[in-house]
Amino acid sequence: MSYYESRINTRLRNLVGFTLFFASTFSVLILDLATSGKGGIGPYIGVCLLAACFGIADAHVEGGMVGDLCFMCPEFIQSYFAGLAASGALTSLLRILTKLAFEKSHNGLRKGAILFLAISTFIEFLCIFLYAIYFTKLPIVKYYREKAASEGSKTVSADLAAAGIKTMPNDQEAQDIKEQQRLGNQQLLLENLDYAADLFLIYVLTLSIFPGFLYEDTGSHQLGAWYSVVLIAMYNVMDLISRYIPLVKWLKLESRKGILIAVLLRFLLIPAFYFTAKYGDQGWMIFLTSFLGLTNGYLTVCVLTVAPKGYKGPEQNALGNLLVLFLLTGIFVGVSLDWLWIIGKTSF
């Protein structure tokens, strides 16, 4: 999708992604109800396949939306990624509420999961209509899409048509000429290799610790069964708060070298987490987890709001897709490295 982004109908891509999110979430709920939550190899394979569907849906939506928003104002990128963090905070809130509501009831964990999946399915259903109808017709969105089309972008044609704006044949010819004049993906990547590396390293570190390490290495603490729930909630809340910090101009880090140095310094969190898990108490672990979330959200928004500046609409769309590719690659590598924490643990 990153390679062929200039030929892909972004509207269709995002709608397919949102629909797949809805269908997959609903299918997890149906799978549990159909099997009465009994588990087994069949339901396990089903859940694995649905998890893969979530990954495919995310590739459609995240790359498509970021590419789309990159040729709009930076505040849109900030808002979108704050929304991603808000979903994590909402997930933690729902987990806390369902744990409180069903903790002492029979099969409480399953009941909480069913309620969570039902709410999630409804939210995903809303996303389809919000994107298809409301977002497309916002005046500021139409303005930026028309501007991108005038600079040679073909990915916005379907969205403009949905908003009632048609491109004339002469406009199409002009788009073709301007499309040929834009920077290629390879050149864009070479010019922004540091930003791509920043996102890769941010998420390699974050996902190598969160959430796997926090669940596997929590030990015995005063919070008991609530300990991991509190840790995840603190990470998500601080991740959300930090994504609004760059809106304050003097707090926003825009220096390319400064961002790279901050990203590399985050790797000091690995020994910090290791020694805290071994010798520290729950207070220090909660502090470190909060700091992990704080730096993750802040640096993500800094990179993605600064990188597209100075490029034309089609180039910004392509760059947005490339940066998301490196972000998701970082997530994949980070999750893979997460297994290193359990080496030598006989309890696994």
Side-chain angles (χ1 to χ4, degrees):
M1 285 184 172
S2 296
Y3 186 79
Y4 291 107
E5 56 77 29
S6 62
R7 306 178 197 175
I8 295 173
N9 181 333
T10 302
R11 178 177 174 80
L12 180 62
R13 172 183 177 174
N14 287 333
L15 286 174
V16 167
F18 282 125
T19 304
L20 188 56
F21 266 129
F22 163 72
S24 301
T25 311
F26 187 60
S27 296
V28 174
L29 182 60
I30 296 300
L31 179 65
D32 181 79
L33 293 173
T35 58
S36 301
K38 291 179 181 178
I41 188 65
Y44 177 72
I45 292 172
V47 169
C48 286
L49 291 174
L50 290 172
C53 289
F54 282 121
I56 295 169
D58 186 61
H60 277 74
V61 173
E62 193 165 357
M65 285 300 300
V66 171
D68 226 9
L69 297 174
C70 272
F71 57 72
M72 301 183 194
C73 51
E75 288 79 11
F76 283 16
I77 288 281
Q78 180 278 326
S79 182
Y80 177 74
F81 276 91
L84 287 179
S87 68
L90 179 60
T91 299
S92 289
L93 177 63
L94 288 173
R95 177 69 188 104
I96 290 169
L97 293 176
T98 52
K99 187 172 176 63
L100 285 170
F102 301 111
E103 187 174 22
K104 295 182 180 179
S105 66
H106 176 67
N107 234 351
L109 184 61
R110 178 170 177 255
K111 290 175 183 176
I114 289 173
L115 178 60
F116 169 78
L117 288 168
I119 295 170
S120 299
T121 302
F122 175 70
I123 291 172
E124 295 294 353
F125 186 68
L126 281 181
C127 285
I128 299 171
F129 287 94
L130 285 172
Y131 178 78
I133 300 169
Y134 180 72
F135 182 72
T136 299
K137 294 182 179 179
L138 288 173
I140 193 168
V141 172
K142 288 194 286 185
Y143 164 76
Y144 278 112
R145 281 178 172 161
E146 284 186 278
K147 183 174 179 287
S150 70
E151 293 174 340
S153 178
K154 296 179 181 179
T155 60
V156 296
S157 300
D159 288 299
L160 289 174
I165 302 169
K166 294 184 178 179
T167 53
M168 303 302 289
N170 291 338
D171 296 336
Q172 191 64 45
E173 290 177 14
Q175 283 181 352
D176 292 338
I177 295 170
K178 290 176 180 177
E179 175 68 21
Q180 293 170 3
Q181 295 172 344
R182 57 153 277 191
L183 295 175
N185 284 358
Q186 186 176 359
Q187 192 172 350
L188 280 170
L189 182 58
L190 288 174
E191 288 184 6
N192 295 275
L193 201 55
D194 56 332
Y195 288 134
D198 288 338
L199 287 173
F200 174 78
L201 293 173
I202 288 168
Y203 283 88
V204 163
L205 176 70
T206 299
L207 271 295
S208 67
I209 296 172
F210 174 89
F213 169 75
L214 302 182
Y215 273 113
E216 294 292 342
D217 290 76
T218 52
S220 300
H221 300 278
Q222 293 175 346
L223 288 170
W226 281 93
Y227 182 61
S228 59
V229 176
V230 170
L231 285 178
I232 303 299
M234 288 304 299
Y235 170 88
N236 284 324
V237 169
M238 295 309 294
D239 186 38
L240 172 60
I241 292 171
S242 67
R243 295 185 188 219
Y244 284 95
I245 295 174
L247 288 178
V248 182
K249 193 170 182 179
W250 61 276
L251 290 175
K252 185 178 180 181
L253 185 59
E254 294 187 327
S255 165
R256 297 177 83 136
K257 287 184 179 179
I259 292 173
L260 183 59
I261 290 169
V263 168
L264 294 175
L265 285 175
R266 286 182 85 231
F267 279 84
L268 293 173
L269 286 170
I270 293 176
F273 269 97
Y274 176 79
F275 287 111
T276 301
K278 203 166 186 179
Y279 304 110
D281 58 18
Q282 62 185 23
W284 282 107
M285 186 62 82
I286 291 171
F287 169 76
L288 277 179
T289 304
S290 301
F291 187 73
L292 181 71
L294 186 75
T295 53
N296 181 82
Y298 174 76
L299 291 171
T300 298
V301 170
C302 285
V303 172
L304 285 161
T305 53
V306 171
K309 289 182 178 179
Y311 292 103
K312 295 187 295 184
E315 294 166 345
Q316 291 171 321
N317 185 28
L319 181 58
N321 275 271
L322 289 170
L323 291 176
V324 167
L325 173 62
F326 276 82
L327 186 154
L328 295 178
T329 305
I331 290 176
F332 170 72
V333 174
V335 170
S336 302
L337 292 174
D338 204 16
W339 288 88
L340 294 175
W341 293 105
I342 58 174
I343 290 175
K345 288 190 174 293
T346 55
S347 59
F348 179 71

